Amino acid sequence: MNRSFAFILIAALALCASQVCQAAEKKNPEANKLAREGAEAAKSQDFDKAVDLLKKATAMDHKYADELSAVYQQRGYAAANDQRYGDAITDYNEALKLTPDQAPRIHEQRAAVEMKIQDYDQALSDYSELIKLKPNEIKYVNYRAYIYEIKNDLPNSMADNEKILKADPNNQDAKTRKQRLEQKIAERTPLTPPPRSPTASPAPKGKKKP
């Protein structure tokens, strides 16, 4: 392929892309306008306004769902930093509905908030989902082992802990946790009672003297 032909081809592709973009704007100019305004509001960290505008844009054209999800995550992060944990979780829930393909990142963000408010059941659910999605990420197994220990589910905590040590024998958190778990399990295990002493047979009665 000579240079002049390559240049013509690239120019033609660029023109096609531009025409496609213009066609999209002509197809739904109101949605495009709302999305642009929403993006500007997000840049200014006016997340409430950005969510409102992008929700309207997404209702008109679902292609803006990714942008809306991103703003939900930004607002959720800001809410968590302000210790408005309930608001943060609500925003992460909405983001997950919009973009399930971004589940690993959203689950991790939501689990971090749940840990802060000690909602261990929900955090356990999120970390279990993360382990399914990313089974080689030891940090998620480590968090789940910790939660199981907090919930006094010692067998599951020990099982996760063994997975960590198998992958990383020098993991200090896991080594320390194993010592704690072994001690707790030993304290729970009842001592085996000693065998009962055999009952002595009565001595035979001696014969009476005549």
Side-chain angles (χ1 to χ4, degrees):
M1 183 184 292
N2 59 47
R3 289 187 178 182
S4 60
F5 181 76
F7 178 80
I8 293 169
L9 179 60
I10 291 169
L13 290 171
L15 178 62
C16 288
S18 175
Q19 289 173 342
V20 168
C21 292
Q22 289 174 5
E25 287 192 23
K26 288 178 181 178
K27 184 179 179 182
N28 209 330
E30 182 62 21
N32 188 271
K33 175 176 176 292
L34 291 167
R36 284 201 306 267
E37 292 175 357
E40 289 301 318
K43 286 180 184 177
S44 303
Q45 298 188 359
D46 188 348
F47 297 124
D48 292 343
K49 181 179 179 181
V51 165
D52 183 57
L53 290 166
L54 283 164
K55 279 176 72 174
K56 291 175 182 176
T58 303
M60 295 178 186
D61 191 335
H62 194 69
K63 73 178 182 180
Y64 298 111
D66 282 355
E67 286 87 344
L68 178 56
S69 174
V71 174
Y72 269 127
Q73 291 176 65
Q74 288 176 293
R75 191 171 74 171
Y77 182 79
N81 282 341
D82 291 341
Q83 299 184 0
R84 293 183 288 108
Y85 300 122
D87 291 340
I89 289 172
T90 298
D91 279 345
Y92 290 138
N93 291 345
E94 292 301 320
L96 190 58
K97 291 176 192 174
L98 287 163
T99 51
D101 57 307
Q102 296 178 23
R105 181 173 63 193
I106 299 170
H107 278 298
E108 185 169 10
Q109 291 172 326
R110 188 170 66 182
V113 176
E114 290 158 350
M115 292 291 282
K116 285 183 178 293
I117 59 175
Q118 299 182 3
D119 188 349
Y120 295 125
D121 288 336
Q122 289 302 318
L124 183 65
S125 176
D126 273 324
Y127 283 121
S128 293
E129 191 62 32
L130 280 164
I131 291 166
K132 290 179 189 175
L133 296 169
K134 292 189 172 184
N136 296 324
E137 283 284 358
I138 293 300
K139 64 179 179 179
Y140 302 142
V141 184
N142 204 12
Y143 280 123
R144 191 171 72 172
Y146 168 78
I147 295 170
Y148 277 135
E149 183 183 3
I150 291 292
K151 291 171 64 67
N152 278 318
D153 187 343
L154 304 186
N156 275 322
S157 183
M158 182 64 87
D160 274 351
N161 213 63
E162 290 302 316
K163 291 177 188 175
I164 298 165
L165 289 172
K166 184 176 180 181
D168 181 9
N170 295 319
N171 188 294
Q172 192 57 50
D173 286 338
K175 288 166 72 174
T176 304
R177 184 182 299 114
K178 184 173 183 177
Q179 293 175 350
R180 290 197 307 269
L181 291 171
E182 287 175 340
Q183 183 176 350
K184 289 178 181 179
I185 291 170
E187 290 170 355
R188 284 189 179 185
T189 304
L191 294 173
T192 305
R196 295 177 64 184
S197 300
T199 304
S201 300
K205 295 180 179 179
K207 291 183 179 180
K208 292 183 179 179
K209 292 184 180 179

